[in-house]
Amino acid sequence: MEVSVSGTGIIRAEFDNEQVGRQAIIRIIEDNGLKVLASFQPLVKTSNSDNECCAHDHVSDNKIDDHDHDHDHAHDHDHTHGEAAAGFQQYSAPALSFCMLLAGIIADHFIHPSFFSGWLRLLWYSLAYIPVGYPVVKRGLIYALKGDVFTEFILMGIATLGAFAIGEYPEGVAVMLFYTIGELFQDAAVNKAKRSIKSLLDVRPKTAAVLRNGNYIQISPDEVAIEETIQVKAGERVPLDGQLLNERSSFNTAALTGESKPSTIEKGETVLAGMINQEKVVEVKVTKLFNDSSLARILTLVQEATTRKAKTELFIRKFSRVYTPIVVFLATAIVLLPALIVQDYIFRDWLYRALVFLVVSCPCALVISIPLGYFGGIGAASRAGILFKGSNFLDLIGKVNYVVMDKTGTLTKGVFQVQNVINFTGDKTDWLKAAAALESKSTHPVAKAIVDYAGNDVNLEISNPEEIAGGGMKGLLNGKEIFAGNSKLMKMAGISIPDDVTALTDTVVMVAIDGVLLGYLVIADEIKGDSKAAVEALHRRNIQTIMLSGDKQTVVNRIANELKIDSAFGDLLPEGKVEKVSALKGDPKNIVAFVGDGLNDAPVLALSDIGIAMGGLGSDAAIETADVIIQTDQPSKIAQAIEIGKETNRIVWQNITMAFIVKAIVLILGAGGLATMWEAVFADVGVAMLAILNAIRIQKKNFSDY
């Protein structure tokens, strides 16, 4: 067995025995002391049964959960739906069966050759049955020996072999043939959905040109260290997150944000892995390791999203496990009970009705089309720059009736600039430098604005810096206490504030040293261009909007009035935001989504029913806590995400309704002797095909207008 481990945390192994190989991979993981969720996915299957399998390592609760990542028809059975299996062998068996079945039907109904009867006719249809029937019956027996008796494989095996037993050879072959063809179409649809999701974001560059010993050398991105310099040529993808060292360049960010419009990045600004350099050769100073990059994080989120099931999906799977044995017992009753109550009871006729009943009862249409619908929803959202962390959140977001939004960085750009400086006493240059030195210890956008305004020549030493949530900063400068923040912070410090300063409607940062208020800075933020459209789109859907902010109430009111937000609350500490959302959640009828981007938003994101993080400028804590991530930082994507969730839910329930209605009708007709195997095939395979076609509609739909 050969084993290799990639820098992205994927273990690849080639082995002769799949079970032995998996156990070996698990031992490797455990020997390295890793806490992982190992997902095994066959990548190659060849005629000599050699396998190549990969284990994706994700942090978990110190357990190994073995998934095949292939659809499972409600029984978590591995149908071996690997893409590598697609090809001539996959289609040759049903093609052979189809040709033999067609020839047999022509002989039966048109040519009528004298030799095509008796044992020769049985042999012909048996040979037509084996290529498609043997794999299904074998799989059913394997699962039955393991204790899982009531599977769709057993249903199909009993139904088709029963048809042979009563002399209905063509129908027995046809049922298994169309079941197999339906499986192939289902596999193709599921694989296409998975490829669609993977191809959206699987744009990891294979190499990086890193500067070492005065020369650029090509190495794997996961071997590049922080602070090293990499070179990205025009047309190449950026391999790692970093800071641009050149004056400026234009980058295509579609892989990360879903937006095709190029973005101009200036010197010193952040460049993210996955962006495409469009102008000239640039140099980038690496700030994050490959596995910590924004692209790696997005890839992980999308991969994990497909493993988190919606309640509807989980219910259907549980329902199918109960439903399947029930229909088996009902089919048995259809055969046996009439013998007690029907005078002209004919065993063959009632057995045929029971076989039709079994074929119709197969739950394939439900357990394939439903996850496929969610795959499509996740893919459609990803293309729009919206990342759902699981299909369960697709379900829930469509029920949201309250959207609570943070102000800074969500509805406003979060890019603050100092508009004015008011000095009360002394030289404003001195206290401004002191304030900048203190604010340099914070990552808040307001703090950055003050540092930028003061310039780069600030070299004062601040000791014991402390960030006061919702207030500002405090620290020690040459043994003297220095405060920089809002009126709330000044009152906490016992510093008096003039009434005319308190009355200001703009964002104000006051600076006090040794208990004396020295002056203040007026800071301005700009509303995002699509914030108003975002609020209007939510109102069109009868969704109430609320804005929460730590900024002063006068600033909050001004922005709320401009954007027509229903309610707005300012002067809030993080716990104040938690209280507001908790109050909303006190009514069980409310489904609350909170949208934020800052570190202090993480508790509210976790508390809300749906946490939505602005992923472009948002903090890592907010993004990790959130259920949905908007990569473009556009609030208008909130309504788009809600619409994608609603459309996904509509398609899923359309499929459930259609499958139940058609199956119920044909089940009743079959039990009454009014439906044949051909109708049963339509009720099973035909409905599954229609449900699949309906499910993939969402992958084609354009949600850009929402």
Side-chain angles (χ1 to χ4, degrees):
M1 183 180 76
E2 296 182 4
V3 179
S4 63
V5 183
S6 74
T8 58
I10 295 178
I11 298 175
R12 295 182 181 274
E14 293 185 13
F15 43 83
D16 296 326
N17 183 284
E18 182 171 330
Q19 187 61 37
V20 172
R22 292 185 180 205
Q23 292 173 354
I25 292 175
I26 291 173
R27 283 199 300 272
I28 292 170
I29 294 170
E30 291 175 341
D31 289 345
N32 284 276
L34 300 176
K35 293 182 179 181
V36 300
L37 168 64
S39 303
F40 294 92
Q41 182 175 3
L43 297 180
V44 176
K45 290 191 178 293
T46 58
S47 57
N48 60 5
S49 299
D50 290 346
N51 294 288
E52 182 184 358
C53 186
C54 67
H56 300 272
D57 303 345
H58 303 300
V59 177
S60 185
D61 298 326
N62 201 21
K63 64 183 179 180
I64 302 293
D65 188 9
D66 184 359
H67 297 283
D68 281 5
H69 283 278
D70 297 324
H71 77 267
D72 56 14
H73 285 354
H75 301 283
D76 297 332
H77 299 150
D78 176 10
H79 284 216
T80 318
H81 295 152
E83 292 180 41
F88 176 76
Q89 286 186 335
Q90 191 177 18
Y91 297 99
S92 58
L96 176 62
S97 291
F98 175 76
C99 291
M100 294 188 69
L101 173 63
L102 187 62
I105 292 174
I106 291 173
D108 276 338
H109 298 284
F110 299 100
I111 301 177
H112 305 292
S114 58
F115 62 84
F116 195 69
S117 60
W119 284 103
L120 183 60
R121 183 171 178 267
L122 172 62
L123 178 62
W124 180 265
Y125 282 115
S126 297
L127 291 175
Y129 178 85
I130 289 172
V132 290
Y134 173 72
V136 176
V137 173
K138 177 184 176 183
R139 197 172 298 156
L141 291 174
I142 290 172
Y143 290 128
L145 292 174
K146 292 180 180 179
D148 197 359
V149 178
F150 298 107
T151 66
E152 71 269 28
F153 310 120
I154 290 293
L155 293 184
M156 285 296 152
I158 294 174
T160 53
L161 292 176
F164 268 76
I166 61 176
E168 300 292 345
Y169 311 140
E171 294 186 15
V173 176
V175 168
M176 192 62 81
L177 171 63
F178 287 115
Y179 172 76
T180 303
I181 292 173
E183 289 283 287
L184 292 177
F185 277 102
Q186 291 163 9
D187 293 349
V190 170
N191 286 331
K192 181 180 178 181
K194 289 183 177 181
R195 282 196 305 270
S196 174
I197 293 172
K198 189 176 180 182
S199 64
L200 286 170
L201 299 170
D202 196 7
V203 291
R204 293 167 289 192
K206 301 296 186 289
T207 61
V210 62
L211 181 62
R212 291 182 180 173
N213 300 322
N215 295 312
Y216 284 100
I217 59 172
Q218 295 287 337
I219 63 173
S220 174
D222 53 12
E223 297 175 11
V224 180
I226 294 175
E227 297 292 325
E228 285 197 290
T229 299
I230 58 174
Q231 185 185 75
V232 184
K233 297 177 181 178
E236 289 183 343
R237 291 189 185 275
V238 178
L240 299 122
D241 290 3
Q243 288 183 337
L244 184 65
L245 299 178
N246 301 72
E247 286 304 317
R248 68 169 57 85
S249 189
S250 179
F251 292 85
N252 182 324
T253 64
L256 298 174
T257 67
E259 296 294 312
S260 58
K261 182 181 177 181
S263 176
T264 299
I265 296 178
E266 304 287 341
K267 183 177 181 179
E269 292 183 341
T270 300
V271 179
L272 300 177
M275 291 181 175
I276 301 175
N277 180 24
Q278 292 189 320
E279 281 190 8
K280 58 190 176 185
V281 177
V282 297
E283 293 179 333
V284 176
K285 183 174 75 173
V286 176
T287 56
K288 288 184 180 179
L289 295 175
F290 180 73
N291 286 341
D292 297 328
S293 68
S294 299
L295 181 61
R297 181 181 64 199
I298 294 169
L299 286 165
T300 300
L301 290 176
V302 174
Q303 287 172 346
E304 291 177 348
T306 59
T307 67
R308 299 184 182 182
K309 308 301 181 186
K311 288 184 179 179
T312 307
E313 192 172 352
L314 293 173
F315 169 76
I316 289 297
R317 292 186 173 204
K318 292 177 182 177
F319 172 80
S320 296
R321 290 190 174 101
V322 176
Y323 158 87
T324 305
I326 288 175
V327 297
V328 171
F329 288 119
L330 288 176
T332 305
I334 290 173
V335 177
L336 301 179
L337 288 181
L340 304 176
I341 56 177
V342 176
Q343 291 184 349
D344 54 346
Y345 173 78
I346 300 174
F347 174 78
R348 182 187 180 282
D349 291 346
W350 288 100
L351 176 59
Y352 184 81
R353 295 182 186 188
L355 298 178
V356 171
F357 193 86
L358 284 179
V359 173
V360 177
S361 68
C362 187
C364 299
L366 293 173
V367 295
I368 288 303
S369 63
I370 292 170
L372 186 59
Y374 287 115
F375 281 157
I378 291 171
S382 299
R383 280 192 295 274
I386 304 166
L387 301 181
F388 281 87
K389 288 188 178 179
S391 54
N392 49 327
F393 302 120
L394 268 171
D395 253 0
L396 192 57
I397 200 170
K399 302 172 185 176
V400 165
N401 56 358
Y402 276 90
V403 171
V404 183
M405 294 170 279
D406 179 45
K407 178 179 72 69
T408 305
T410 301
L411 293 169
T412 65
K413 292 182 178 179
V415 181
F416 290 87
Q417 289 184 327
V418 175
Q419 303 295 318
N420 196 11
V421 179
I422 303 299
N423 183 48
F424 289 153
T425 181
D427 186 355
K428 74 174 182 180
T429 304
D430 293 336
W431 65 259
L432 185 58
K433 286 185 178 181
L438 178 61
E439 295 286 10
S440 67
K441 309 300 182 182
S442 171
T443 59
H444 195 281
V446 169
K448 185 178 184 302
I450 295 172
V451 173
D452 291 343
Y453 182 79
N456 299 320
D457 60 342
V458 177
N459 54 9
L460 299 176
E461 282 293 329
I462 300 290
S463 57
N464 300 329
E466 182 182 349
E467 187 157 3
I468 309 300
M473 295 287 296
K474 75 173 185 176
L476 292 176
L477 174 65
N478 299 326
K480 297 179 180 179
E481 269 196 323
I482 176 172
F483 293 87
N486 56 22
S487 58
K488 196 184 308 178
L489 179 64
M490 295 301 140
K491 289 176 182 177
M492 287 173 54
I495 298 168
S496 61
I497 308 166
D499 292 339
D500 58 336
V501 178
T502 307
L504 292 172
T505 59
D506 294 314
T507 300
V508 174
V509 176
M510 288 166 266
V511 180
I513 298 178
D514 205 19
V516 178
L517 185 63
L518 301 177
Y520 64 87
L521 302 93
V522 178
I523 312 289
D525 191 9
E526 186 180 347
I527 296 175
K528 290 181 180 178
D530 66 332
S531 290
K532 190 169 185 178
V535 175
E536 290 173 351
L538 293 172
H539 286 164
R540 286 197 300 272
R541 290 163 176 78
N542 296 317
I543 295 173
Q544 293 288 304
T545 56
I546 299 174
M547 183 169 67
L548 305 180
S549 178
D551 211 340
K552 58 197 304 183
Q553 189 67 51
T554 52
V555 176
V556 172
N557 288 340
R558 176 170 55 82
I559 292 176
N561 290 334
E562 186 173 341
L563 298 180
K564 301 292 190 278
I565 290 174
D566 297 314
S567 304
F569 303 91
D571 296 312
L572 294 175
L573 296 173
E575 53 266 33
K577 295 180 181 180
V578 170
E579 289 174 5
K580 293 294 183 184
V581 173
S582 296
L584 281 174
K585 283 175 61 64
D587 185 344
K589 295 179 182 178
N590 293 340
I591 304 297
V592 182
F594 180 83
V595 191
D597 75 313
L599 177 64
N600 61 356
D601 292 329
V604 207
L605 287 165
L607 173 67
S608 59
D609 296 301
I610 292 284
I612 303 175
M614 291 293 173
L617 298 174
S619 72
D620 288 342
I623 291 169
E624 289 300 320
T625 309
D627 309 310
V628 182
I629 298 166
I630 296 176
Q631 285 296 112
T632 61
D633 276 337
Q634 294 174 284
S636 57
K637 296 285 185 180
I638 301 168
Q640 195 170 337
I642 291 172
E643 196 60 38
I644 291 172
K646 286 185 175 181
E647 182 65 19
T648 301
N649 197 261
R650 275 194 292 267
I651 285 175
V652 165
W653 280 104
Q654 284 171 4
N655 286 342
I656 292 173
T657 304
M658 175 176 65
F660 272 121
I661 290 175
V662 174
K663 282 181 177 289
I665 292 172
V666 181
L667 280 173
I668 294 170
L669 293 176
L674 300 176
T676 68
M677 284 280 192
W678 300 105
E679 284 85 3
V681 168
F682 170 75
D684 177 38
V685 179
V687 170
M689 294 297 299
L690 291 175
I692 288 168
L693 292 173
N694 188 40
I696 62 177
R697 281 194 305 115
I698 195 169
Q699 299 179 43
K700 306 294 184 183
K701 189 165 183 176
N702 182 12
F703 290 93
S704 60
D705 296 331
Y706 292 97

